[in-house]
Structures are given as C-alpha cells and as structure tokens.
Amino acid sequence: MSGVPEMANAGAAGRSVAALRRTSGQVVLHLILAGIFLCLALAPFLFGDVRSQQVAARICVFIVLVASYDLLIGYTGIVSFAHTMFFGFGAYGAAMTLRAWGPGWDAILIGGAAGVLAAFVLAALIGLLSLRVKAIFFAMVTLAAASVMMVLASQLSDLTGGEDGITYRVPGLLKPATKLLTDADGKVVRLFGVALNGKIAAYYFVFLSCLVLFGVMLRIVASPLGTVLQAIRENELRAEAIGYRVVAYRTAVFCLAAVLAALAGIVWAVWLKYTGPDTALSFAIMIDVLLMVVIGGMGTMTGAVIGVTVMSLAQYYLKDLMQAGADATAALPLIPDLLNPDRWLLWLGILFILLVYFFPAGIAGTLLKKDR
Amino acid sequence: MIVIAPHSLTTEDLTIRFGGHSAVNAVSCGFSPGELTVIVGPNGAGKTTYFNLISGQLPPSEGRIFKGDLDITRLSPSARAKAGIGRAFQLTSLFPRLSVLENVRLAVQARAGLGPRLLQKVSRFTQTWEAADRHLEATRLTDVAYLPAAALSHGDQRKLEVALLLAMQPDIFMFDEPTAGMSVDEAPLILELIENIRKDGAKTILLVEHKMDVVRALADRIIVLHNGELVADGKPDDVIALPIVREIYLGIPAEDVA
Ligand SMILES: Nc1ncnc2c1ncn2[C@@H]1O[C@H](COP(=O)(O)OP(=O)(O)OP(=O)(O)O)[C@@H](O)[C@H]1O
Ligand SMILES: [Mg+2]
C-alpha cells in the first residue's frame, strides 16, 4: 500500500474536493446536526431541570439504538423486530448484576459483557438459521424470538423482577450526591451555576459512551463493509455474483447491530437505575425505533440523530405545548378543545403523517437528495 | 492433430430440469484458456441457464462442473467468483442507487478481499479507487462516474454491466449478449474490450451472441445449444455451414441448404 504516496494523496484530495461540493440540503442537514450535537454536549449547562436531562440522555441512548437498527434496515435491507430484545439483553445484564453484586463498575462491566455476549450468540443463531430464507420469514422469526424473551422476562421474576423490573444503585461516581470538585470549604464547585456533582458525571458517561458508539457506526458505514451492506440491499444476486458471501455478511451485520444495541442497553440501565420491560424490552420501544428510523431517513446514519430528536421532543413536550396553546386560545371556540393535552396522541399522529408526506425519504434522506 | 490444451472450465453431463422440462440437458463441454467460444441457439435454447449453472445461480439436477481440476459443482456463486469465474448478465443486474464508481469499486474490492474491513475508511484504499477509475475509463463511463447506476441510459448500463465483470478480473469471462439493445456506435467498444481480453491469451471467454457478423468476427469456436442440448461444436466456418445450424438457428430449412 506504500506504492506512490504523492499520487495516492492527490487522488484522495481530489475525492474529498468532490465530496465538499455540498448542496443546500446537505448544508441544512449539517447545521441541524451541529445544533443537536451542541445541545446534547452542553445539555446539563443549557437545560437545568431534571426532565430535560432525562430527555437528553434518552436522545443519546436512542441515537445509538436507532442507528444500529439503521445498519440493518436502512443499509442492509434486513427487517428485524428483535432489536429491543438485544437492547434488553445489555440492560438486563447490567441491571441484574448491579442488583446482585451491589453498585460497582465490575458489575456493569461483567454483567454488561454477559448481556452483550448473549445478544451476540442469539443473533448469530437466528442469523445462521434463518437469514437464508425470505425476508418476511426472517422478520417473523425475530418477532417470535422477541415475544419469547418478553414472556421469559416476565416469568423469571426472581431474576428479572418480572413486570416490576429491577431497581438498583449505580457506582458512587454517578450518584447525584457525589461532589466531583470541591472548593476550599468542601462545597461542590459550580460551573455556570451548575453544580459539578455525580448527576453531571452520569450524564457525561451516557453522552460520551453514545458518542463513541455512534462514531464507530459512522466509521463502519464509511468502510468497505458499509458499501458491501448497501450492495446487498440494492442487489443481493449481483453482490453474491461478484464474490460477496451474502449470508455471511447478513449474519455478521445482524450480530454487529445486536452487540451495539446491547451496549446502548447497558448505558440506558446505568442512567435509569431501573430496568424493566417498559424501559428495555417492550414492543412499544420497537415501534418507537421503527418510527424514528423512518422519520429520520433510512440508510443515512444521521437520520437516526434527527429522527430520535424530533420524536423524543414530541413525546416529551407536545403535551406541554398543547396545554400552552389551549390556555392561550381559551377565549376562542373549539380550538382549545382541539388543543386539549389529552389529544396529544392525535397530534403526534398528524405530525408523523406530515413528516412522512413532506419528507418521504425521511428528514435526513430527503435533505441529502435535495439538489442545490 | 491439434494438441488440446488442458481445459480451464469443463461441464460434465450438466443438466437442469424445471418440472419435466430439461432447460439444459446433459451438456458436456470443455473450454480452454485463450479461446473465445461463442454460444449460439434460438431463444429459450438454454444459453443463459447454462451460464447460471456454471456461475452457480442455479444448482444442477445432474452433472458436474470443473474449474481446471477443481470440482465447483457445490460451491456458492460467491465462492465461484472467488475461484475466478466471472459473468455479466443478459438482464442488466446492477446496484441501482449506488454510484457508477461505487458499483465498479465493489467488484474491485471483492476481488481484493477487502469486504470484511469495517473500521477503515474506503477512502484509504487508494488502489481500489484507481483500479475502479481504470475500468470506468476502459468502458468510457468516467463522465457518469458519480451518477447512480439507475440514472444511466440503457447503453451505459450495459457498459457498466461489462465494467463489473472486468473489475472482477476473473480467469473465465462469461458474456451474455453484452451488446443487446446497444446503439451501433456503442457496441464496437464492448467487442473491442472482449477482443483485448482474448489477446491476453490466458483467459477463457464464453460469449452468447446473436449477431452473426459479431460471431464471425470474434469466435475461435462456436457451440450450438438447442432445446438444452449441445448439437454442434467446432470451428466457426464449419459450424455455420452445418445444416442443423442453418435450420434451427438461421431458420433456413435443411433441404434448402442441401
Ligand atoms: N428459473 C427457471 N424456472 C423455470 N424455467 C426456467 C427458468 N430459467 C429458465 N427457464 C426455462 O429454460 C429455458 C431456457 O431459458 P434460457 O433463458 O436459458 O434461454 P436462452 O437460450 O438464454 O434464451 P434467450 O436467447 O432468449 O436469452 C426456457 O424455456 C425458460 O423458460
Ligand atoms: Mg438468454
């Protein structure tokens, strides 16, 4: 590979120049992404309240979950309904060990690793046994596996806490009472008025873990493997004919996505200090993931960031917004009634329909396609 | 007496049945390096099916396939591609939403065995890009390199189909009507590319072609398939002169020729 470095560099430079010719859609997309990144990176300092931090942490974790799902559905064209199951493996692995061993990084590491390993093994089994068959059959197998896991989780309540889930404590560093920095009087140091306590540490544990995982995925889609995955999505027969073992690649990406989802699950379990079916296993989460990937744009990676952000903001704040709207229009007929927060699901549905109508390829996908 | 070179590709009693119908029926034939064999036969004769059997898209009902001494009958299409068997499709089969350059680069990358690399950026593999650029130049597709394959004209899609095969750098090249539907000024380029592969001398070329002038100009040997059976095999002039060929292929009744 060390042949003619000068020429090689010239070639690479030429290509990046071609890549630099950005369309207006791309510029808009990158501005949005930069905005989201800044908000997430500075969330504890920008938004003081507990709820906003919860939203920010959820956005971080779900970006990883949705992006790893995009590797499957958007890049490779694999439809799976078992993605939250793998997420749950990571979360429950860490949660059960934290409860059994008490708060400690060893519990997170070992329990999380066990969850990741379980996710990997099960993904490999499902993949090898059924990725050869028709896509619809594969989707059914994942659905069945996920249902079985749900039942198991609720039946094995000694281990999993059943429907109630598990609460546990996390390592001292991440506890709100922990002072990261103290001044001369032993009081916690404040930066821009925000106390540098364990809550901040917990948030940045989430943020940085997710940043690394998302970075890994960005690298994967820009790698030779990333192109092969797209080739399989585009034309399986030809991908095989030019020398790619389609079944092996499909299985590999299925395992990879499962591992990434499980890792996201660990982070989520550590942040929440609670793991149960509703936070880490339910089909409601799977549906959220599907909606997020569609709204953001399949096969784009950046779509995960946008889809998750839009949807999480809507899920957390639409009710508030409607309440404000209803109050403001209280004097008018009909409108306050329509804006009644109880109707928030209706408005969420309308929002989805509008988004899908105006951004048929998802927000990121449509922006990327837009010319100049 | 001609010294017969060791065959680079052999099919032994190769047969495939769809229901009761034998689309390819007990075809035994060997192909040698440096030889360009044109396969002719009327529509539905089994030419494409014969290719599908050799490159592995269809499993044979009976018979065996050898690449040199290696029995490849049970290998997957990708394993056969890695073993050096490459083919272009009669019905254009591309990666529609990927750029022309990416299409070709995928084939180059497969050949180099880089597919499983997942933590290095594609931009680092400069040799892959350069090879892809060369194949695009050879097929005159450089100008459309950054367009999605689906946006190309029919002629350019056919060229890309051939570019993918070239990029695989196989030992055995199988072309299935590569110039079909191409305009008269585009076809010569493809024929010239095939001619260049032949000049290499070490490659085995199988070409399905209907146009008689092309067949005459390129063929070292012609084999005739009819109803799935191999009915004639020999030097171009000899085969074209055979009554059975005139009858089944050119539609001239045997008695008119006799
Ligand atoms: N997958 C399949 N299932 C059933 N029948 C098939 C299949 N593939 C091919 N056939 C049949 O096999 C016969 C040979 O078809 P093939 O495509 O090989 O012909 P061909 O010689 O390539 O014809 P053409 O010149 O039209 O391309 C046809 O009767 C076709 O209908
Ligand atoms: Mg055919």
Side-chain angles (χ1 to χ4, degrees), chain A residues 99-123:
Chain A
R99 187 181 59 171
W101 297 3
W105 291 101
D106 54 340
I108 296 176
L109 212 65
I110 307 280
V116 168
L117 189 71
F120 177 83
V121 170
L122 190 62

Side-chain angles (χ1 to χ4, degrees), chain B residues 18 21 23 41-50 58 90 176-177 210:
Chain B
F18 297 114
H21 167 73
N43 289 341
K47 307 178 294 290
T48 299
T49 307
Y50 189 51
L58 289 172
Q90 179 178 7
D176 200 347
E177 303 192 27
H210 279 300

Side-chain angles (χ1 to χ4, degrees), chain B residues 11 13-17 20-29 39-42 44-47 49-50 53 223-233 244-245 248:
Chain B
T11 67
D13 288 325
L14 201 59
T15 302
I16 186 166
R17 281 183 285 269
H21 167 73
S22 296
V24 170
N25 196 356
V27 175
S28 296
C29 197
I39 303 175
V40 298
K47 307 178 294 290
T49 307
Y50 189 51
L53 289 169
I223 65 176
V224 184
L225 284 182
H226 184 46
N227 288 335
E229 287 175 32
L230 183 69
V231 294
D233 178 356
I244 185 169
V245 173
I248 63 169

